[in-house]
Amino acid sequence: MAEDSLLVSRHRSPIGEIVTFYRDGILCHLDFTDCQIRWEKLLRRRFPQLSLIDVSVNSEMEERLMAYFAKETTAFTGVKLDTGGTDFQKEVWDALCKIPFGTTETYSSMATKIGKPKAIRAMAAANALNPISLIIPCHRIIGKDGSLTGYGGGLERKGKLLEHEKR
């Protein structure tokens, strides 16, 4: 397999078809098939000689996604991730993973949590470049006024995810 070749698996879900990308057996991107322009752009930025190889459904991920949609809060615990990204982005994505299932945070509260309270815009930019939707729960970030704010999968889908996660 060429260095920039990724295995691709597709999964049905209540909020649209999910597509997962693996390099050397490790998840490096998760998105929605109807967001192809977004995920192709992000993948090509990271893997300039991108080559995609469709494979059958990844059964482990299929089980984890089914568990998530059954409201199992630990469905993604232990998934190995290869996010790429800068140190700052990784810090933001790690902080996002600490937002509990069924709760939300704001960009400003998250910037404070990572010890950079003035880095709200940088926090938002890193959030927007999250390569592993759902597992790195960027959908749990809302506006300071409680409104739904940008989400790569669309605001309607973000609302459905937040509604799904309510306890």
Side-chain angles (χ1 to χ4, degrees), residues 113-162:
K113 284 186 180 193
I114 63 170
K116 298 176 174 81
K118 295 185 187 271
I120 297 167
R121 287 189 179 156
M123 163 69 203
N127 194 53
L129 295 175
N130 171 16
I132 305 179
S133 186
L134 293 179
I135 297 175
I136 300 174
C138 56
H139 61 278
R140 294 180 188 154
I141 301 296
I142 59 172
K144 200 171 192 172
D145 63 358
S147 64
L148 295 186
T149 56
Y151 181 63
L155 291 182
E156 181 180 347
R157 185 174 280 139
K158 180 176 185 164
K160 288 179 180 179
L161 285 168
L162 293 174

